[in-house]
């Protein structure tokens, strides 16, 4: 915190006047002259650091309150910081944005929700760094922020989120043993079968709070549906060269997608599944099926980019999701800016599994389509 940010002089003046205390009284209590107190209040000098605890005790406040330090930010402030930094990654020098984000970390080192969001910010943009060594350094720094949240934070849910994010970073760094150690016990199927979601819903109804039950069950359905889609994508990667499993999995997810209108509801989630399905079919030598899934991937990307801004949203059925999205620390907004997302689109078709599709007229049209979206 620099001198411009420190409001200790203003605070001493305000507190003294609120309590109707004369400068002489304060000076006598802390053992300085009246002139010293006057200089503090005028901003000419600052109290010696050894006097801070005495001054805070005199006014019956914490030292951070005395000096004007605000260790915590509101959810809205954190959302604003994240979105501003995310947008800057698309238009400013990467090094400059990273330096700005480091400044937030240093200034709000005890604001654990912000630290977690900065860790996420780095995780979602590390690939923009110049080389693999720099990318690894950023990922390790993000993991350190998560570890600080886990070890010093008091919010159980926040600590759990931090552990999950740190596990994903470990996965990216190739540290599979650490991932297993972090998540295996917490994700035990025995625990997952406790069905606390339904118990909480029943409790809301028992209390006559049907509106809460309605909102909560809707949110649970939404989250579980897209968790199913995401897990199905991982299931495809496990069985990538087993055509019967790939075909059946894709068929089932597509039926769910059609029933719930998932392409419009969450085009990003469906785009990721379609892409993995395309990779899996291509790995099985099923070129036509791979092209069908790549076309669906392009449809999802087109839908994703069709709105004025990338943001999570509900629909006529999931009509209470916005209130839940607003509660997220990052709000309903995406982890990366639109520009950062679209610039990566042409590279998605460079996957080795698509080598046999190069030159195919349908594949080239899909490539042109994604390049066109990036160009726009």
């Amino acid at each position: 915190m620099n001198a411009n940010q420190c409001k200790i002089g203003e605070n001493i003046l305000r507190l003294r006047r609120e309590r109707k205390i004369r400068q002489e009284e304060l000076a006598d209590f802390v053992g300085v002259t009246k002139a010293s107190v006057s200089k503090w209040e005028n901003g000419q000098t600052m109290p010696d650091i050894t006097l801070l605890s005495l001054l805070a005790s005199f006014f019956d406040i914490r030292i951070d309150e005395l000096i004007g330090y605000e260790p915590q930010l509101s959810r809205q402030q954190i959302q604003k910081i994240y979105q501003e930094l995310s947008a800057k990654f698309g238009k400013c020098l990467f090094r400059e944005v990273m330096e700005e984000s480091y400044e937030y970390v240093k200034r709000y080192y005890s604001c654990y929700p912000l630290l977690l969001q900065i860790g996420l910010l780095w995780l979602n943009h590390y690939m923009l760094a110049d080389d693999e060594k720099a990318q690894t350094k950023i990922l390790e720094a993000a993991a350190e922020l998560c570890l600080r949240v886990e070890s010093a934070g008091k919010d159980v849910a926040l600590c759990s989120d931090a552990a999950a994010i740190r596990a994903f970073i470990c996965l990216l760094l190739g540290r599979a043993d650490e991932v297993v150690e972090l998540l295996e016990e917490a994700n035990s199927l025995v625990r997952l079968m406790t069905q606390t979601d339904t118990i909480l819903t029943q409790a809301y109804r028992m209390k006559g709070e049907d509106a809460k039950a309605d909102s909560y069950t809707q949110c649970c359905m939404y989250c579980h549906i897209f968790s199913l889609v995401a897990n199905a994508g991982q299931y495809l990667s496990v069985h990538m060269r087993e055509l019967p499993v790939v075909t059946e999995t894709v068929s089932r997810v597509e039926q769910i997608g059609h029933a719930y209108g998932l392409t419009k509801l969450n085009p990003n989630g469906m785009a990721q599944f379609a892409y993995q399905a395309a990779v899996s079919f291509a790995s099985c030598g099923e070129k036509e099926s791979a092209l069908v899934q790549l076309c669906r991937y392009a449809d999802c990307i087109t839908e994703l980019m069709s709105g004025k801004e990338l943001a999570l949203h509900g629909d006529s059925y999931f009509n209470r999701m916005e209130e839940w999205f607003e509660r997220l620390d990052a709000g309903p907004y995406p982890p990366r800016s639109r520009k950062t997302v679209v610039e990566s689109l042409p590279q998605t078709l460079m996957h080795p599994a698509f080598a046999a599709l190069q030159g195919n007229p349908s594949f080239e049209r899909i490539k042109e389509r994604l390049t066109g979206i990036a160009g726009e």
Side-chain angles (χ1 to χ4, degrees):
M1 186 190 321
N2 59 41
N4 292 329
Q5 293 169 326
C6 187
K7 300 177 181 178
I8 187 169
E10 297 175 26
N11 289 337
I12 289 174
L13 177 61
R14 174 179 55 81
L15 291 164
R16 185 177 61 77
R17 286 179 173 173
E18 286 175 355
R19 290 160 172 75
K20 296 181 172 57
I21 297 169
R22 291 179 294 110
Q23 286 183 336
E24 291 90 339
E25 292 180 69
L26 177 59
D28 289 343
F29 183 83
V30 295
V32 297
T33 64
K34 176 186 173 184
S36 295
V37 174
S38 180
K39 288 181 180 180
W40 296 343
E41 295 179 352
N42 291 330
Q44 293 176 270
T45 62
M46 294 177 63
D48 188 275
I49 191 170
T50 58
L51 297 177
L52 294 183
S53 60
L54 196 57
L55 285 164
S57 175
F58 181 79
F59 291 117
D60 192 23
I61 60 174
R62 301 190 311 272
I63 292 178
D64 57 3
E65 292 179 274
L66 176 69
I67 65 178
Y69 172 58
E70 299 175 6
Q72 298 300 319
L73 294 169
S74 68
R75 180 181 289 110
Q76 291 73 24
Q77 288 173 313
I78 293 172
Q79 289 177 8
K80 187 172 184 290
I81 290 170
Y82 187 102
Q83 291 308 312
E84 287 178 351
L85 291 173
S86 179
K88 286 181 180 179
F89 273 119
K91 57 187 179 183
C92 301
L93 291 176
F94 180 78
R95 174 180 52 79
E96 293 177 354
V97 186
M98 286 299 297
E99 288 176 356
E100 185 176 353
S101 65
Y102 272 115
E103 286 302 314
Y104 277 113
V105 169
K106 287 189 288 184
R107 183 176 178 186
Y108 296 104
Y109 200 52
S110 7
C111 182
Y112 302 116
L114 176 70
L115 294 189
L116 187 59
Q117 289 304 309
I118 295 295
L120 271 173
L121 180 81
W122 294 347
L123 171 60
N124 289 316
H125 296 87
Y126 79 95
M127 68 291 296
L128 301 178
D130 293 333
D131 53 57
E132 187 175 341
K133 184 177 179 180
Q135 292 175 1
T136 298
K137 187 176 179 181
I138 293 170
L139 286 174
E140 289 176 341
E144 284 297 318
L145 285 186
C146 291
L147 185 58
R148 172 163 173 78
V149 174
E150 291 175 63
S151 58
K154 300 291 191 294
D155 186 317
V156 175
L158 191 70
C159 293
S160 177
D161 289 344
I165 294 168
R166 184 160 67 93
F168 182 63
I169 294 172
C170 288
L171 192 66
L172 291 175
L173 293 171
R175 302 170 183 170
D177 288 343
E178 292 182 46
V179 177
V180 173
E181 183 180 345
L182 272 167
L183 299 183
E184 189 170 46
E185 179 61 25
N187 288 275
S188 165
L189 285 178
V190 175
R191 294 188 179 186
L192 292 176
M193 293 300 288
T194 57
Q195 297 182 326
T196 55
D197 292 345
T198 59
I199 295 172
L200 180 56
T201 301
Q202 290 176 51
Y204 282 141
R205 297 197 65 193
M206 189 180 293
K207 292 180 62 180
E209 296 178 347
D210 287 350
K212 280 189 176 181
D214 175 29
S215 177
Y216 183 70
T217 50
Q218 190 177 116
C219 178
C220 289
M221 285 193 295
Y222 181 97
C223 292
H224 290 322
I225 286 171
F226 283 104
S227 177
L228 184 151
V229 172
N231 280 312
Q234 290 301 309
Y235 193 63
L236 287 178
S237 68
V238 172
H239 298 277
M240 189 176 295
R241 289 178 172 78
E242 300 174 43
L243 184 58
V245 177
V246 172
T247 303
E248 181 69 12
T249 303
V250 170
S251 173
R252 291 188 179 220
V253 171
E254 286 182 345
Q255 290 178 61
I256 294 171
H258 177 73
Y260 284 94
L262 300 187
T263 297
K264 287 188 175 295
L265 188 62
N266 189 333
N268 184 52
M270 293 305 290
Q272 292 179 39
F273 178 79
Y275 183 81
Q276 182 58 55
V279 170
S280 300
F281 276 126
S283 299
C284 292
E286 295 291 316
K287 295 182 182 180
E288 290 305 315
S289 295
L291 288 169
V292 168
Q293 293 303 318
L294 282 176
C295 189
R296 286 177 178 156
Y297 168 69
D299 289 342
C300 291
I301 295 298
T302 300
E303 179 65 31
L304 181 65
M305 297 299 167
S306 63
K308 292 182 179 179
E309 60 181 17
L310 305 181
L312 296 170
H313 60 83
D315 60 11
S316 59
Y317 182 75
F318 290 101
N319 57 5
R320 303 196 62 169
M321 291 309 302
E322 275 70 14
E323 59 191 82
W324 288 95
F325 296 143
E326 291 295 336
R327 298 182 192 181
L328 300 174
D329 285 332
Y333 306 104
R336 293 189 289 165
S337 68
R338 181 190 296 266
K339 183 177 180 182
T340 305
V341 171
V342 299
E343 285 180 346
S344 66
L345 289 178
Q347 285 71 45
T348 61
L349 298 186
M350 301 301 292
H351 193 288
F354 301 143
L357 300 178
Q358 298 292 336
N360 181 292
S362 296
F363 184 76
E364 294 304 318
R365 283 194 293 272
I366 294 170
K367 187 187 297 185
E368 289 174 8
R369 190 174 167 190
L370 293 177
T371 303
I373 294 173
E376 292 173 7

